[in-house]
Amino acid sequence: MRILTAAGVRQSQETLAAQAGAYWTRPDGDRWRSDSHWRDADVFTGNDLWSHLGLRHLDMVERGERALGRPAGRWGRVVEWGCGGGANAIHFAPRADEFVGVDVAAESLDECGSQVRAVCDTPWKPVLVDVAHPEDAVAGIGPCDLWLSYYVFELLPSREYGARLLALAHRMLRPGGIASVQIKYSDGTWATRPRRWGYRSSVAGMTAYRVEEFWELATRVGFVPELVELRPQDDLDRRYAYFTLRRP
């Protein structure tokens, strides 16, 4: 795999998007549930990692808002792009007036909705998105105050696709709204470059950015990057960066 990446083997964005759509919309065993962060996946069995992940992200968002001089802990509409099995939703939804879960898999939307309803009565809105046409989902969501995306950008078909998604986040947020986005960062070595081929063979290794590259991308889209937190070693993997982005 590394040899092919180093050799510059690439597939088109359209091909990679089709492969991503095929993978995520066809639930297939525990690997798929683990990648989708379902509570009953083997990776979360016998530990509290599933719940801990969402709590950590909630703490990051609250720290970010305090750093910006804002009262933390309550939002209007919250959108999570790539909600999976609800590990984040169960912690953010109780603090929201409405929680919108966006995912490419109908099964994950059902699972996330079940988890949200088990912990709170916050209105829940599921939005199914087509991998090839994420822009089509925006009209059905409406403006939001907080936009979340964790363990998603590393799964995207390409960095160009990530730019499209970041632009959608900016479009959805109200002025002054916050996006909390996690990426997998590249350290500049060939082993940490974006893959650009063979989506299914290494789902979580598809897309990475240099930290300064993503910061600059967010700026070009129209965001004001406020904070970045690096986690070289994570409970699930390595080289994670968490950005707090403000729409001015």
Side-chain angles (χ1 to χ4, degrees):
M1 294 182 183
R2 291 182 177 181
I3 293 174
L4 292 174
T5 300
V9 174
R10 291 190 173 193
Q11 292 175 305
S12 70
Q13 292 189 59
E14 294 77 14
T15 297
L16 289 170
Q19 292 176 358
Y23 179 78
W24 292 109
T25 59
R26 298 173 188 170
D28 183 20
D30 186 72
R31 180 195 175 193
W32 185 91
R33 289 198 303 278
S34 294
D35 289 340
S36 301
H37 289 188
W38 281 38
R39 191 169 203 159
D40 66 351
D42 284 351
V43 68
F44 302 120
T45 300
N47 58 61
D48 61 355
L49 178 57
W50 187 80
S51 179
H52 175 69
L53 292 175
L55 278 174
R56 185 171 67 208
H57 297 149
L58 177 64
D59 182 60
M60 286 180 180
V61 171
E62 291 186 328
R63 287 203 313 271
E65 295 215 317
R66 286 195 295 270
L68 296 176
R70 302 180 177 191
R74 190 74 199 177
W75 302 279
R77 177 180 289 128
V78 175
V79 172
E80 183 180 9
W81 196 285
C83 62
N88 298 300
I90 62 167
H91 299 291
F92 283 91
R95 313 285 189 93
D97 294 334
E98 180 183 15
F99 191 91
V100 181
V102 183
D103 209 281
V104 300
E107 293 82 358
S108 284
L109 290 174
D110 291 341
E111 173 68 11
C112 187
S114 295
Q115 296 292 346
V116 168
R117 288 188 291 270
V119 297
C120 67
D121 58 1
T122 298
W124 153 259
K125 183 176 183 177
V127 176
L128 185 65
V129 61
D130 182 349
V131 173
H133 304 287
E135 293 83 1
D136 293 349
V138 175
I141 294 175
C144 64
D145 304 287
L146 178 64
W147 194 92
L148 312 171
S149 191
Y150 304 116
Y151 305 113
V152 172
F153 272 70
E154 68 209 61
L155 312 175
L156 297 178
S158 67
R159 288 186 290 190
E160 292 82 1
Y161 190 103
R164 289 168 62 190
L165 192 51
L166 205 58
L168 291 182
H170 185 272
R171 178 177 161 190
M172 282 183 269
L173 279 164
R174 295 185 174 98
I178 292 293
S180 180
V181 181
Q182 171 265 325
I183 66 164
K184 185 171 281 188
Y185 66 85
S186 169
D187 59 13
T189 62
W190 62 268
T192 63
R193 294 175 185 173
R195 285 278 305 283
R196 299 302 298 267
W197 65 273
Y199 187 91
R200 186 181 179 89
S201 62
S202 184
V203 171
M206 283 304 302
T207 297
Y209 300 81
R210 293 290 294 263
V211 172
E212 71 277 14
E213 178 185 28
F214 194 80
W215 185 287
E216 291 166 359
L217 170 61
T219 301
R220 289 197 300 272
V221 166
F223 280 113
V224 177
E226 297 285 2
L227 300 167
V228 59
E229 179 174 330
L230 303 184
R231 297 181 67 91
Q233 184 69 48
D234 194 87
D235 301 290
L236 293 175
D237 208 335
R238 300 165 52 221
R239 295 182 289 105
Y240 285 128
Y242 295 83
F243 286 80
T244 299
L245 310 172
R246 177 175 57 86
R247 178 177 177 178

